[in-house]
């Protein structure tokens, strides 16, 4: 993909999620995001080795029903959403172990297909729950949600440009040869800079900046894990991109992978540090 194509697509698409996050009520935003995530999960079923339409549709239906059940059972305290967000944090810790053994689950067996379908659900559902929890918080829920997304975008953009300019040491050559440690450092630095102007916008005191930096860097780091995990699934299935919906960016899952990992870590970290 060319740098110009990548930038043009990002500039055209960026206003849509920003406006949705800032101006839509949480139920409407959650409904739209659920449809987007389920569409991404449709792509994921291809990674898992499930290609027939009927089982793919049944899998999506089951995930949609689970989402509805989680909202219905959450109550005013959002207990189920918070619980699933914490499950998401644990899941992405497990993914780190999976990435250390990239050959695990590669064989096209029924057990591995089931495992990868489960992995798709554990990526999609906790992220959706985290979004609902974060966005519903008053009075700055929408701003916090946008900040979480901006961290991912800043980390991705910083990594892309730093890696293109200085990248020499490969991060995970067997999974994603194009990624470098220099790119990771560029992404972390860009995200850390973003946290500084965010302090007053998020209604924080300047004394809380170190805690915000901690959450920001953790989210920027785990977003790389989300990206690598999708790359690993694509390698297992022998595809380059999850789709061709976005010129220069691939399919939906190519845009969602980092966000899926980032949202649970962000909202749980935010709550843990009292931000």
């Amino acid at each position: 993909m060319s740098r110009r194509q990548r930038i043009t697509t990002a500039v055209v698409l960026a206003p849509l999620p920003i406006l949705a996050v800032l101006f839509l009520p949480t139920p409407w935003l959650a409904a739209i995001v659920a449809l987007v995530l389920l569409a991404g999960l449709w792509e994921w079923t291809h990674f898992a080795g499930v290609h027939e339409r009927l089982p793919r549709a049944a899998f999506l239906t089951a995930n949609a029903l689970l989402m509805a059940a989680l909202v219905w059972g959450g109550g005013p305290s959002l207990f189920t959403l918070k619980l699933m967000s914490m499950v998401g944090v644990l899941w992405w810790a497990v993914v780190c172990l999976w990435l250390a053994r990239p050959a695990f689950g590669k064989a096209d067996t029924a057990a591995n297909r089931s495992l990868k379908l489960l992995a798709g659900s554990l990526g999609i559902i906790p992220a959706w729950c985290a979004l609902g929890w974060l966005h519903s918080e008053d009075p700055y829920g929408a701003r916090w949600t946008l900040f979480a997304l901006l961290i991912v975008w800043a980390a991705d953009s910083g990594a892309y440009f730093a890696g293109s300019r200085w990248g020499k040491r490969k991060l995970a050559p067997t999974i994603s040869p194009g990624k470098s440690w220099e790119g990771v450092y560029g992404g972390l630095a860009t995200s850390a800079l973003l946290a500084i102007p965010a302090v007053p916008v998020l209604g924080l005191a300047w004394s809380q900046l170190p805690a915000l930096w901690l959450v920001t860097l953790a989210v920027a780091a785990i977003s790389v894990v989300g990206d690598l995990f999708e790359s690993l699934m694509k390698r297992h299935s022998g595809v380059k991109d999850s789709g061709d919906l976005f010129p220069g960016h691939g399919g939906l899952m190519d845009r969602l992978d980092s966000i899926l990992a980032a949202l649970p870590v962000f909202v749980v970290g935010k709550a843990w540090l009292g931000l």
Side-chain angles (χ1 to χ4, degrees), residues 1-22:
M1 70 182 68
S2 70
R3 180 178 296 186
R4 178 179 296 179
Q5 188 180 44
R6 184 185 179 98
I7 293 173
T8 300
T9 302
V11 169
V12 171
L13 293 177
L16 296 177
I18 291 173
L19 291 173
V21 166
L22 290 179

Side-chain angles (χ1 to χ4, degrees), residues 172-236:
T174 61
I175 299 175
S176 184
K179 290 182 174 56
S180 66
W181 281 105
E182 290 79 7
V184 172
Y185 300 147
L188 292 174
T190 306
S191 300
L193 290 174
L194 179 68
I196 298 174
V199 170
V201 176
L202 298 174
L204 299 177
W206 285 106
S207 60
Q208 295 174 291
L209 178 58
L212 186 62
W213 264 332
L214 182 59
V215 172
T216 299
L217 292 175
V219 169
I222 204 66
S223 72
V224 178
V225 173
D227 194 348
L228 285 174
F229 187 58
E230 195 229 3
S231 295
L232 178 61
M233 294 298 101
K234 289 190 292 188
R235 281 196 169 272
H236 281 190

Side-chain angles (χ1 to χ4, degrees), residues 142-152 194-195 198 202 212 216 266:
R143 297 183 187 181
W144 277 102
T145 305
L146 179 58
F147 178 62
L149 297 178
L150 289 175
I151 293 173
V152 175
L194 179 68
L202 298 174
L212 186 62
T216 299
F266 183 85

